[in-house]
Amino acid sequence: MLKKLKLTLLAAAILLPTVITASALSMDEAVAVMPEPAMDMPVMADAGRVADDEILEAAIKAAKMHLGNTDRFATLTHSISVYSGAKVVYLNWSDSSSGDEYLSAAVSDDGVLYWFRLSENNKPGLPAISKADAVELAYMYANKVNSGYSWLSQDHATVNYSRWSGYNVTIHSVYNGYVIEDNSVTVRVSPDGKITYYDAFGLARNVTVPVTPAKIISADDAKNALKTSLPLELVYRSFYEYDYKLGESKATIKLVYKLPDDYATKAVDAETGEVITIEQNRIYAVKEEEARAADMAAGSSNGSAKVKLSPAEQKVVGVQAGLLTAADIDAALRKIKEFGLDDTLSLTSSTLYTVKSPFDGKLSYKWNLSYRNAEGSTYVYAEVDAKTGEILSFNNNGSVYYRNIYDGSMYEANVDPKYTIEQGEEAAQNLLKSLYGDKFNSYVKTESVDVRPLSVAPVTVYSFSYVRTINGVKFNDDRITVMVDPNTLGVSYLEFGYTDTEFPSAADAIGANNAADRYFDVVPLDPYYIVNMGRKDGKLIMPELVYTTDEKQLTPVYRYTYYGYIDANSGELLGRDGEPAEYRPESYFDSEKNFNDIADSPYYMAIKMLYNMDIIGMDDTLFRPDDAITFADLKAMLQNAEYWYYESEGDTADDATVAFADALYNVVCALGYAEIAELDEIFNNPYGDTSIAEGRVGAVAISAALGLLDGIAGDTAPDFTAPVTRGEAAQLVYNLLLR
């Protein structure tokens, strides 16, 4: 059991080398810390009346309270930024007399440390402190910096280990027994116990403590609200898997139930049971879309009349003869008046390329055409099916929409457009019907979820989106998006997606309510608090930046917590890859939970070390050191230890046991010795006449020479043909890391 750390931590004293020493520490000992030198917290007046030089000086002093002595740095640079009314001072120390290290910090104008990072040239090694020590140090440091903040919960901390940087600890906030969503602080603890990173930008300030609700609705009531107001949607979904041997993607279409598109912006009020909208209190900047430049067309080459083509080559030539030419495509595009391809735009390049369908492997041929005017101020790009002539995409960066973005005129005073949005939609639909015929009949209009309000901007484009439906079910991969000029009804942008493949039947779908029940069978629905700026028009307004001092409050809500899919026929939970998924809720670190079956194991220290480094995990509270390890678990150990060059035979089942000699071969391969490990003839058996399988003598000899068998095999050789145990595998990986 770990002893409690003393609360005299020097803000985890990141810059004092004697805070925690490896020589005075084992995995089960308390962490020694040094007291903090006295320093008064700077008292700051209203930021609006304080000069920037005073703010900077106060920020430096505030930072040094938690960072310690910075005199070893010869250079300090800074910047001062304002975000949503909050002034933040950024400090960067460099040119250290202690070596190649850098220190950066961000401090508010009222002296609150938001963030810091200490960068050093570290080599990966074994940690001198345990996970429990790291969580304790991180919690103490976070509370030291946020002395008036009482909602951080040590029982709601997550921790993972990196060989290069140490322990990454995220501590969540809890109020009234409920977690506060996305309200946490992250602290990084080095392998020897120094605090090297701190991030509290996600920690909300100035939150009003809510009155404890007299009653919170039950999870069942919340589920019913979600079923009726935010029901799961039946859709076709394509899932892709990359075939590394063939170097191409394979795709499968499945019928699934998915969360509604706006699930992330909706919640169930835990007090009233009403569905409320969560609205971000910000205006998104319009992002300029980058134009895609087409490759230059390949030059032609002369052939000899005497050279004969193979059947495959003749087939390709025959296919090419049936395709439209670039001139055909150009002429067709210029006839579409909505595109505005007049004589001022010249065709600058055309490229024909092939695309292999991930669904059935069929090839399709497409033309990329690029246009430009003489001044180089306007570029137009088009992608067209070379066989059918269907326009797959069109983009005119010289349109009024893009010009207004480039020259800033979109922020000028509002001007009423010539045509209404209804007229724009009618023009768009007429064009789409003429271009795609009956195919367009399978598309239905859909509203965009990503709304970007620009209240001061004139209307420069009408944008319409359509999604394809098959058997009455949406297939979101196939969409049409078209942008129409409100003053000319010209088209500045068009994107057409159509997948030509078989779709599964929707006749046996289990229904949205049944799918929701299956979802909630595996995904628990628990209330939690959400930080917000209050309600407006029935919506919860989210703060733009939680760390600002604007007044905020907590509201208890229920929301979907796991984004996955439900197979529409079987009701099985699927992951984002379309494969059966196991729901794993966030697991908080529990210092009381430990391996209960390793105390008498000779591999105790190795197992403890690998656990603290996140190389192995627990099966509840057990490790089962005497059980034979599976190929999957051995592979995971090596991967988690950041060794990737293990043997991975295609016919080795994940649940197969691994012979001792084969385990050594995997470890030797992880070191990069695969090419010589199988050369038995150049090695002597280090254990005399001990039986070793063919092709594994080299692995055993290399392992013995490098000390990888220390703690496992002494003068007496182990049975290299027997399955290696989990404890022996842990010792092997531990010995590997010791190198």
Side-chain angles (χ1 to χ4, degrees):
M1 185 68 65
L2 290 166
K3 302 175 183 177
K4 283 289 183 181
L5 301 177
K6 297 181 180 178
L7 198 55
T8 54
L9 178 68
L10 167 61
I14 70 159
L15 303 178
L16 294 181
T18 54
V19 174
I20 300 176
T21 60
S23 60
L25 194 65
S26 74
M27 288 297 173
D28 294 313
E29 292 177 343
V31 179
V33 296
M34 291 192 65
E36 177 182 2
M39 181 181 292
D40 294 331
M41 170 69 79
V43 178
M44 303 191 65
D46 176 54
R49 299 197 301 269
V50 179
D52 282 346
D53 58 336
E54 296 179 46
I55 291 176
L56 174 61
E57 180 180 352
I60 295 172
K61 291 179 179 179
K64 288 169 70 75
M65 286 190 62
H66 303 295
L67 305 183
N69 192 346
T70 56
D71 292 348
R72 67 189 184 284
F73 294 102
T75 303
L76 172 63
T77 60
H78 78 284
S79 63
I80 302 177
S81 301
V82 178
Y83 305 103
S84 188
K87 186 171 288 188
V88 181
V89 180
Y90 291 89
L91 306 168
N92 299 282
W93 287 271
S94 58
D95 297 331
S96 171
S97 60
S98 301
D100 189 13
E101 61 174 344
Y102 302 89
L103 177 63
S104 302
V107 185
S108 70
D109 57 357
D110 59 349
V112 175
L113 179 66
Y114 286 145
W115 171 89
F116 86 79
R117 179 176 61 196
L118 174 66
S119 301
E120 299 175 299
N121 282 331
N122 297 321
K123 294 182 179 180
L126 301 181
I129 64 171
S130 68
K131 272 186 180 179
D133 293 332
V135 171
E136 185 80 3
L137 282 171
Y139 180 70
M140 294 174 69
Y141 183 76
N143 277 281
K144 187 74 174 179
V145 177
N146 304 279
S147 57
Y149 190 92
S150 60
W151 293 342
L152 289 176
S153 170
Q154 189 171 356
D155 293 332
H156 292 78
T158 59
V159 54
N160 56 73
Y161 186 83
S162 166
R163 289 181 60 203
W164 291 94
S165 57
Y167 296 99
N168 217 59
V169 183
T170 299
I171 305 171
H172 298 261
S173 299
V174 174
Y175 176 75
N176 198 33
Y178 301 141
V179 172
I180 305 173
E181 184 191 39
D182 296 333
N183 202 65
S184 61
V185 61
T186 299
V187 183
R188 188 175 299 150
V189 185
S190 71
D192 60 351
K194 284 198 303 184
I195 305 296
T196 59
Y197 177 87
Y198 169 80
D199 186 350
F201 276 122
L203 209 57
R205 298 184 62 191
N206 198 20
V207 181
T208 302
V209 178
V211 176
T212 302
K215 181 182 179 182
I216 289 182
I217 64 172
S218 68
D220 287 339
D221 290 337
K223 291 176 183 178
N224 290 331
L226 288 174
K227 285 182 181 180
T228 56
S229 303
L230 288 173
L232 296 174
E233 182 182 3
L234 180 64
V235 298
Y236 286 110
R237 179 76 162 78
S238 56
F239 296 97
Y240 292 83
E241 181 180 1
Y242 190 76
D243 189 323
Y244 287 93
K245 291 184 179 179
L246 297 177
E248 59 188 38
S249 293
K250 300 290 185 182
T252 304
I253 292 178
K254 293 186 178 182
L255 185 66
V256 298
Y257 286 96
K258 63 179 279 291
L259 295 174
D261 290 335
D262 59 351
Y263 84 100
T265 63
K266 296 292 177 65
V268 176
D269 190 309
E271 296 182 64
T272 66
E274 297 176 352
V275 172
I276 49 179
T277 298
I278 299 169
E279 186 169 281
Q280 295 294 330
N281 184 23
R282 65 184 68 182
I283 295 178
Y284 292 92
V286 175
K287 294 184 178 179
E288 180 180 322
E289 293 189 14
E290 297 183 358
R292 294 181 298 161
D295 295 331
M296 295 298 293
S300 61
S301 59
N302 294 323
S304 170
K306 296 181 179 180
V307 178
K308 294 185 177 181
L309 301 183
S310 69
E313 293 163 345
Q314 291 175 358
K315 181 179 179 181
V316 170
V317 173
V319 170
Q320 179 64 53
L323 299 179
L324 297 168
T325 66
D328 296 332
I329 301 296
D330 175 49
L333 290 173
R334 290 183 184 275
K335 289 181 180 179
I336 301 173
K337 62 181 179 57
E338 289 87 351
F339 288 168
L341 289 176
D342 55 29
D343 293 338
T344 64
L345 291 165
S346 301
L347 180 63
T348 57
S349 70
S350 57
T351 303
L352 179 69
Y353 66 98
T354 59
V355 177
K356 190 174 185 179
S357 169
F359 297 97
D360 56 18
K362 293 181 180 178
L363 291 179
S364 59
Y365 298 82
K366 299 179 182 180
W367 277 108
N368 257 337
L369 276 65
S370 299
Y371 297 83
R372 186 177 63 185
N373 63 1
E375 296 79 17
S377 59
T378 300
Y379 294 85
V380 177
Y381 306 97
E383 185 180 64
V384 181
D385 189 299
K387 189 172 184 179
T388 65
E390 285 181 333
I391 299 168
L392 305 177
S393 69
F394 177 84
N395 194 352
N396 182 354
N397 83 328
S399 67
V400 64
Y401 172 67
Y402 290 109
R403 288 202 307 273
N404 278 312
I405 294 176
Y406 297 151
D407 63 20
S409 61
M410 68 183 305
Y411 296 104
E412 295 174 357
N414 215 335
V415 178
D416 290 335
K418 181 178 179 180
Y419 296 98
T420 66
I421 190 170
E422 290 78 15
Q423 291 172 312
E425 182 177 359
E426 182 181 3
Q429 290 189 358
N430 288 337
L431 174 63
L432 297 176
K433 289 176 183 177
S434 68
L435 293 178
Y436 306 118
D438 290 340
K439 284 185 178 179
F440 180 63
N441 294 333
S442 64
Y443 289 79
V444 296
K445 185 182 176 184
T446 180
E447 298 297 333
S448 174
V449 176
D450 183 18
V451 179
R452 310 177 202 177
L454 292 168
S455 58
V456 299
V459 177
T460 58
V461 67
Y462 293 136
S463 181
F464 306 101
S465 180
Y466 304 85
V467 63
R468 186 180 172 199
T469 60
I470 303 99
N471 301 323
V473 179
K474 291 180 181 178
F475 181 51
N476 289 299
D477 286 20
D478 286 355
R479 285 181 173 269
I480 301 176
T481 301
V482 59
M483 294 183 179
V484 178
D485 187 317
N487 293 303
T488 67
L489 297 183
V491 171
S492 58
Y493 179 87
L494 173 64
E495 194 78 25
F496 173 68
Y498 185 89
T499 303
D500 186 11
T501 189
E502 295 282 337
F503 285 81
S505 171
D508 296 326
I510 61 176
N513 281 346
N514 286 334
D517 289 335
R518 300 292 180 90
Y519 176 90
F520 290 125
D521 283 344
V522 292
V523 181
L525 191 63
D526 296 317
Y528 55 85
Y529 282 104
I530 188 168
V531 177
N532 61 89
M533 305 288 289
R535 294 176 186 257
K536 183 179 180 181
D537 299 328
K539 300 178 180 179
L540 277 182
I541 307 301
M542 303 301 291
E544 183 171 357
L545 300 170
V546 297
Y547 61 81
T548 61
T549 56
D550 300 336
E551 186 174 347
K552 307 172 190 68
Q553 65 185 36
L554 297 179
T555 299
V557 297
Y558 287 93
R559 265 208 292 180
Y560 289 121
T561 58
Y562 173 76
Y563 192 92
Y565 301 96
I566 300 294
D567 188 296
N569 294 318
S570 69
E572 188 174 25
L573 182 68
L574 306 177
R576 290 182 179 272
D577 58 358
E579 296 299 318
E582 178 185 0
Y583 172 67
R584 294 183 179 180
E586 187 163 40
S587 178
Y588 299 110
F589 176 73
D590 184 355
S591 61
E592 302 297 325
K593 193 174 183 180
N594 219 323
F595 299 117
N596 294 334
D597 59 349
I598 64 171
D600 298 327
S601 173
Y603 313 117
Y604 169 84
M605 179 53 70
I607 295 169
K608 290 282 288 185
M609 182 65 72
L610 298 190
Y611 164 70
N612 280 289
M613 298 177 72
D614 284 330
I615 293 173
I616 60 175
M618 289 184 292
D619 181 7
D620 193 16
T621 60
L622 304 176
F623 179 68
R624 298 174 283 108
D626 298 326
D627 287 3
I629 197 168
T630 64
F631 180 76
D633 285 348
L634 177 63
K635 183 170 65 174
M637 275 193 194
L638 290 170
Q639 285 182 338
N640 294 339
E642 299 179 25
Y643 286 97
W644 301 92
Y645 301 105
Y646 50 83
E647 176 195 28
S648 183
E649 298 176 355
D651 58 352
T652 303
D654 283 347
D655 59 354
T657 59
V658 184
F660 201 117
D662 290 339
L664 295 180
Y665 177 72
N666 275 268
V667 174
V668 168
C669 288
L671 284 170
Y673 299 144
E675 292 186 3
I676 65 171
E678 296 180 5
L679 303 178
D680 287 359
E681 62 273 15
I682 69 172
F683 293 100
N684 291 323
N685 185 338
Y687 294 99
D689 297 330
T690 301
S691 177
I692 301 176
E694 183 179 352
R696 295 295 183 256
V697 175
V700 173
I702 294 172
S703 298
L706 295 178
L708 299 181
L709 295 173
D710 291 354
I712 304 175
D715 296 333
T716 303
D719 183 353
F720 291 110
T721 63
V724 69
T725 67
R726 291 170 57 82
E728 290 169 335
Q731 188 69 48
L732 279 174
V733 176
Y734 174 75
N735 292 341
L736 181 64
L737 293 172
L738 283 179
R739 301 186 69 256

